[in-house]
Structures are given as C-alpha cells and as structure tokens.
Amino acid sequence: MGRIRLVFLAEQFESLQFQLDTMMPAAKKPFLQQFYSQTVSTASELRKPIYWIVAAKAIDYEQMLLLMAGVKWDIREIMSQHNVYVDVLLKEFEQFNKRLEDVSRHVRIPLPVSNVLWEHCIRLANRTLVEGYANVKKCSNEGRALMQLDFQQFLMKLEKLTDLRPIPDKEFVETYIKAYYLTENDMEQFIKNPQGETGGMEDGSEYSMKQLANLVNVCLGSHINKKARQKLLAAIDDIDRPQEIG
C-alpha cells in the first residue's frame, strides 16, 4: 500500500505545482523545480521494479520451459497445428486476467498499474519463449516454421486478452526465430553489429551468449565446417570481453 500512497502523493504535488510556484520566493524556485523533476516525476516509475516481482510469480514460466523441452523440432513436414505449450501459456494468461478482475471488484486497480503488470508478464513470457527455443538441440526448417506458427497463435489469442499495444518484446522473439535462416556471413554480422544493420533485422546484442551459440550450433552446425563454427563462437565470446584501451 505504501507505493500506492506514494504515487497518490506525487499526483497531489503535481496538482499543487502552480500554487507552490507562485508562493515560493524566487531564490527558492530552483529547489522546487529540482524537487519536481527528480522526485515527484519519478514516483510512478517505482511501479516497474516493484510489480516485476508480482509478474514473475503470476505466470508459471518454468512449466512452459519444461513443456517446450518435450517438443520434437527436427520434423520433416510442415505442421498445421500449434504445440500444447502455447495453449497452456494462454491458459495462464486467462487465469491472470481473471485474478486481476477479481481483485478489481474489491480494490480499484489503476490502468497504469494494470498496464505495467501486463507488460511485465508478457515480456517475461516472450523472454522465456526465446530461452526455450535456445534449449533446442536439433531443429529443421520445418521445426523453425512450427516455432513461427506457435508464436503467431500465441500473439493472436493474447491480443484478445489485453489492449496493451504494442506487444512487449514481440520483435525479440520474431528476430530470434528468423535468425535461424541467416547465412554464415549474415550470422557473423548479426552477432557483431551493434547498430543492427543486418538486412532489416535487429542485432544480436540483446541475446545471451547461450542463445547466440545455439543459433550457430543448431542453425548453421550442419552447413558449415568446424573452423567457421569456431570463428562464429569466438565472435560471441568477444561480446562478453571488456574492450582493451589503447
């Protein structure tokens, strides 16, 4: 309740800013402006780190990883049906939505709070999806197409549950799936390029070393020789090393 009162207090200060400014001596006005810019304006930002803890417990992300681990991705035919883990994840979001509605019947949940909770939960789910794909040991082009089908099904049903737009980290998942189709040279640019100038795709700097290594080993592993693979893995290794001075 303390964080709610803090945001409420900040809102009251904002409504009083004009009156306080007119009453404040000229010599003291810089201190008032500093108070508003550094304290009052940042109060609402406290919601994000605080509600991150709620979001981390609201959805069973570990269950999703376990279900994804049981999927066969090295298939040889294009599938028309998405995987069960998508339905399980959507069920989690439906239950999350119902819990929010139940709570709001007793305590009003401000829209900014609801939006922050949805944003965190969706972001964590999408990050978990990428981690699940990065755990795959064998994957065919048809398996990659199945990942795309799964994610599109998830997005389509998720957008019916929330008005939050754009969907947080949507591009994070889509880019990772598409990266499996990159050539050796494009993969090197994807790993190294901090500006993301890789044919319209984002760069790989947001992904963990494990996630990037999976792209190299699973995606390119059967198409490139050992030397080329080691070169790409070394490029991933370099990302985590501090830059030498001079």
Side-chain angles (χ1 to χ4, degrees), residues 127 172 175 187 189-196 198 201-209 211-212 215 236 239-240:
R127 297 272 163 168
F172 184 76
T175 298
M187 181 68 75
Q189 288 302 309
F190 179 75
I191 292 166
K192 289 181 175 181
N193 194 330
Q195 283 78 37
T198 50
M201 291 183 66
E202 296 178 8
D203 69 283
S205 61
E206 273 200 83
Y207 301 101
S208 69
M209 294 177 68
Q211 291 165 353
L212 291 172
L215 289 174
I236 295 169
I239 296 172
D240 207 37

Side-chain angles (χ1 to χ4, degrees), residues 15-160:
S15 67
L16 293 170
Q17 185 173 5
F18 177 76
Q19 288 90 333
L20 290 173
D21 189 64
T22 57
M23 295 167 60
M24 190 69 64
K28 299 287 187 181
K29 285 188 177 184
F31 297 103
L32 181 67
Q33 292 168 357
Q34 184 181 39
F35 171 70
Y36 271 94
S37 63
Q38 295 184 5
T39 303
V40 176
S41 64
T42 60
S44 61
E45 290 300 310
L46 289 173
R47 287 186 176 122
K48 290 192 174 183
I50 290 169
Y51 288 122
W52 183 268
I53 300 168
V54 178
K57 296 179 180 296
I59 304 290
D60 192 345
Y61 306 101
E62 284 297 321
Q63 179 191 30
M64 187 167 65
L65 282 176
L66 289 172
L67 290 172
M68 292 177 76
V71 176
K72 182 178 174 62
W73 298 107
D74 57 338
I75 53 177
R76 295 300 170 195
E77 59 183 43
I78 298 292
M79 306 297 287
S80 58
Q81 179 63 37
H82 63 272
N83 281 299
V84 173
Y85 74 86
V86 177
D87 296 323
V88 173
L89 178 58
L90 286 166
K91 190 72 176 176
E92 288 273 331
F93 273 101
E94 287 171 3
Q95 291 172 350
F96 167 70
N97 191 38
K98 185 177 184 302
R99 287 196 295 269
L100 281 182
E101 290 175 349
D102 289 344
V103 171
S104 65
R105 291 192 187 99
H106 304 283
V107 181
R108 188 182 73 86
I109 301 177
L111 183 60
V113 172
S114 176
N115 285 344
V116 166
L117 286 169
W118 272 103
E119 178 187 349
H120 284 340
C121 286
I122 295 171
R123 195 178 300 281
L124 283 167
N126 281 336
R127 297 272 163 168
T128 305
L129 282 173
V130 169
E131 187 64 17
Y133 297 146
N135 289 334
V136 173
K137 303 302 181 187
K138 293 181 180 179
C139 186
S140 61
N141 285 338
E142 291 82 1
R144 192 60 45 196
L146 179 56
M147 288 181 182
Q148 290 178 315
L149 174 67
D150 287 349
F151 189 55
Q152 290 307 312
Q153 176 72 11
F154 171 61
L155 287 178
M156 182 179 70
K157 294 292 182 68
L158 181 68
E159 287 175 347
K160 294 178 181 178

